[in-house]
Amino acid sequence: MLELRADFLKEINEDILRRYISEAKNTGLKIIFTCRDPREGGKNNYTQQARLNALLHAVSMNVDYIDCEAVNFKNQLEHELKTALNKSQTRLILSAHDFHQQFDNLEMLYEEIITLYPEAVVKIVYTAEHINDCFAAFDLLRENPGSIIMCMGQAGQISRLICKKLGGLVSYMSLDEASASAPGQLTLQDAKSLYRWDSIDADTEFYGVIGDPVAHSMSPAIFNACFEHNGANSLYLPIHVQGESKDLSEFLENVSSRPWLGFRGFSVTIPHKTAALSYVRGKGEYIEPLAENIGALNTLKVGFGGIITGYNTDCEGAMRSLTSAMKIDRHGLHQKHVAVIGAGGVARAIVAGLADVGAHITIYNRTADKAKRLADVFKCKSAPLEALADMNAEVIINCTSLGMHPDTDSTPLPQRYIKKDMLVFDTIYNPLETRLLKEAKAAGAAVISGVEMFIYQAMAQHEIFTSAPADEKVMRQAVFNRLAAK
Ligand code: NAP
């Protein structure tokens, strides 16, 4: 379908409208004709009479739908529009928009609108201030398939895709980012390629990455490429959960109490990894022992009846990166001397894996206390960053954010400390080759990019989500395409 937003035209008269609508009809697409009131997001300040005339003209040209604000229909336009519609095939969309927040009582609003004109398609669109505001829209749409109910804003973006599964008549996409007519609108290109719009149906299962921010995550690209390749009726979404652990808990409760939405699993990233663990623990559900040990989850699986279980694949991702680069199995890491730089979440996952195979680990961190606490848990050594000058390591792993985009000139390790018989693994994957890796290569050392860990942890997640192995080639290609496009 094409939506014609006549309120964006600089001028509206019969001639202009005739040409505008005829040209649109020549595409062969169905037409929604809208001349939006500025009080509900319209662009130019046309009078009520001018907008009514435009709608009547569109009806006379037999467009498929006209969209009129419910409040204007009720107060002024009902008689004339009804008379025109009675003699035509055109259907009426009666709409209500709130650009600031959720409507007070959605069910009541729906009833009020449908009572005005029972043949109408009801359209209710409001701004989600938080992703949790989307669930009321999902509930209402599920009860009233064939209507148009979705949320605006970044937090509402998933509703623009999920609405198709729930039987929404349409979602709105823009031709490009600059021509978006409402906040949070996806481009047609992203909806169709990245988010597999054409394949969404009532049976589609959803996955997603929970984080804040998530807009630039590569996970949707790699999972959706994999789902496409496997012909899976699944879609992976960016799930922007702002706030604290209570907001995450509310989101997970919303998901698990609505199995009909079809959410099956989540990747979890900053800042929700430890809150995810607390949530699953609080529910008394299964947590993989390694994840308990790490103290954070990066994977949630939504099982039968909405039960959510927890896993951590960061460790698996890092261990597989090391063993495949070194062409050894995990036991080959036994007694290897490893310097881990950083003592945050990723360092903890990697130290847990290395400690399990008996590597000799030293943790170096800016905040020495934090390094010591982590070292005490896994019975290894710790030291301040300055001690890197005297390190005796065969493998060095950067688990800090030093060198990550946009801070690409930074490095956690002066080049003079790198020797040619070392293996240097940077967990950062943006950029693909960090300053640390460039300098390590120049020093003749072997290197591993964080992209390896990213791919392997995602492959392990795919297997947890679907019980089927992921196609490494497809995931790799998707990551490189994405990074090359930046
Ligand atoms: P985190 O928990 O916030 O830990 C950050 C670590 O970086 C801490 O040790 C912190 O030291 C150190 N750090 C930050 N700024 C520093 C600075 N200016 N100077 C010295 N040290 C500094 O983060 P995380 O979750 O562990 O993630 C760390 C990195 O891992 C990320 O930047 C990301 O690139 C990478 N990562 C990779 C993958 C993958 O799949 N490849 C997955 C997740 C994350 P203090 O303790 O002193 O603050």
Side-chain angles (χ1 to χ4, degrees):
M1 287 192 193
L2 266 183
E3 186 193 34
L4 301 183
R5 283 288 299 266
D7 53 294
F8 275 70
L9 293 174
K10 288 202 184 87
E11 200 186 330
I12 44 175
N13 59 41
E14 290 217 346
D15 270 358
I16 289 173
L17 287 173
R18 190 174 312 110
R19 267 185 280 130
Y20 182 50
I21 296 172
S22 303
E23 204 176 311
K25 286 184 107 180
N26 285 342
T27 62
L29 296 169
K30 287 191 176 177
I31 307 293
I32 300 177
F33 182 90
T34 306
C35 193
R36 182 69 70 228
D37 186 333
R39 287 171 295 185
E40 294 210 23
K43 169 90 171 159
N44 288 323
N45 198 4
Y46 291 119
T47 62
Q48 179 92 299
Q49 188 60 47
R51 281 185 275 107
L52 172 65
N53 290 345
L55 291 175
L56 292 174
H57 192 87
V59 176
S60 76
M61 288 187 72
N62 281 320
V63 298
D64 300 276
Y65 298 89
I66 55 163
D67 177 333
C68 176
E69 304 75 31
V71 65
N72 291 339
F73 182 85
K74 182 178 163 195
N75 293 340
Q76 277 177 293
L77 310 181
E78 182 172 351
H79 176 70
E80 281 174 273
L81 282 180
K82 269 187 180 169
T83 311
L85 288 165
N86 280 343
K87 292 182 256 160
S88 112
Q89 298 291 311
T90 302
R91 288 195 67 192
L92 175 65
I93 298 172
L94 279 179
S95 57
H97 306 82
D98 191 324
F99 281 83
H100 302 291
Q101 63 208 347
Q102 190 175 322
F103 289 102
D104 277 345
N105 188 332
L106 281 177
E107 285 84 7
M108 202 192 283
L109 178 63
Y110 184 92
E111 280 312 312
E112 275 170 20
I113 296 176
I114 199 70
T115 311
L116 291 174
Y117 191 68
E119 296 82 19
V121 174
V122 177
K123 177 186 179 196
I124 298 178
V125 180
Y126 59 87
T127 294
E129 293 173 276
H130 191 276
I131 199 162
N132 287 320
D133 294 343
C134 293
F135 291 89
F138 297 150
D139 293 343
L140 188 64
L141 182 54
R142 184 180 181 231
E143 291 300 313
N144 302 287
S147 47
I148 304 169
I149 298 165
M150 66 181 77
C151 299
M152 293 183 282
Q154 195 62 38
Q157 200 170 58
I158 60 166
S159 73
R160 295 178 177 275
L161 295 161
I162 292 177
C163 66
K164 189 171 179 208
K165 172 180 172 121
L166 301 178
L169 178 70
V170 294
S171 185
Y172 295 80
M173 315 296 175
S174 62
L175 290 175
D176 52 48
E177 273 172 36
S179 63
S181 59
Q185 218 169 55
L186 292 159
T187 62
L188 193 60
Q189 162 81 9
D190 274 355
K192 287 214 169 229
S193 55
L194 180 55
Y195 296 117
R196 312 183 66 215
W197 172 263
D198 292 326
S199 71
I200 301 173
D201 64 24
D203 299 321
T204 300
E205 299 192 325
F206 295 116
Y207 298 86
V209 51
I210 294 175
D212 180 16
V214 283
H216 296 101
S217 169
M218 285 196 293
S219 297
I222 67 170
F223 276 96
N224 287 330
C226 235
F227 292 151
E228 177 89 38
H229 177 79
N230 296 344
N233 191 356
S234 306
L235 176 62
Y236 189 101
L237 302 163
I239 313 272
H240 187 198
V241 178
Q242 293 158 287
E244 299 164 10
S245 56
K246 70 171 178 33
D247 302 288
L248 174 70
S249 298
E250 195 183 322
F251 173 77
L252 295 173
E253 287 292 297
N254 275 324
V255 165
S256 63
S257 60
R258 291 172 179 80
W260 45 267
L261 269 176
F263 274 103
R264 293 286 173 263
F266 300 103
S267 312
V268 185
T269 184
I270 291 170
H272 295 302
K273 287 184 177 184
T274 49
L277 179 74
S278 308
Y279 175 82
V280 181
R281 204 185 265 155
K283 290 276 162 189
E285 298 301 348
Y286 174 77
I287 296 169
E288 177 194 37
L290 175 71
E292 272 287 6
N293 223 356
I294 295 169
L297 301 181
N298 79 334
T299 311
L300 295 170
K301 179 168 177 154
V302 186
F304 186 70
I307 287 174
I308 297 179
T309 48
Y311 310 81
N312 192 313
T313 66
D314 281 335
C315 177
E316 165 72 20
M319 297 298 277
R320 204 165 156 195
S321 305
L322 284 170
T323 53
S324 51
M326 295 166 86
K327 299 190 174 51
I328 53 172
D329 68 11
R330 275 180 199 205
H331 301 290
L333 288 163
H334 182 69
Q335 297 204 342
K336 284 261 184 269
H337 288 265
V338 184
V340 172
I341 313 177
V346 164
R348 196 176 167 104
I350 293 180
V351 168
L354 289 170
D356 193 46
V357 294
H360 292 303
I361 310 158
T362 307
I363 303 166
Y364 299 85
N365 195 42
R366 176 178 62 179
T367 312
D369 268 8
K370 222 164 120 186
K372 172 146 185 5
R373 268 183 273 134
L374 184 57
D376 287 349
V377 174
F378 293 99
K379 307 203 170 15
C380 51
K381 294 185 200 154
S382 70
L385 284 182
E386 302 72 61
L388 282 165
D390 310 313
M391 76 175 153
N392 164 30
E394 299 156 271
V395 178
I396 299 168
I397 308 177
N398 175 36
C399 300
T400 73
S401 47
L402 284 169
M404 188 166 74
H405 180 82
D407 180 27
T408 49
D409 284 340
S410 296
T411 177
L413 187 68
Q415 186 175 14
R416 61 185 181 282
Y417 300 157
I418 305 172
K419 310 211 168 60
K420 69 174 180 339
D421 53 354
M422 287 174 167
L423 170 64
V424 179
F425 173 14
D426 198 336
T427 63
I428 292 171
Y429 56 80
N430 183 16
L432 260 181
E433 195 172 62
T434 56
R435 177 173 165 194
L436 172 65
L437 292 191
K438 278 188 196 138
E439 292 181 350
K441 265 187 186 170
V447 298
I448 307 174
S449 156
V451 83
E452 297 299 309
M453 173 176 165
F454 182 74
I455 290 167
Y456 288 133
Q457 63 80 30
M459 286 173 67
Q461 284 183 331
H462 185 280
E463 196 146 350
I464 292 168
F465 289 155
T466 66
S467 306
D471 190 303
E472 183 173 341
K473 254 201 214 147
V474 173
M475 281 205 167
R476 226 170 246 287
Q477 193 56 50
V479 169
F480 287 106
N481 289 348
R482 191 85 186 158
L483 288 172
K486 280 190 177 177

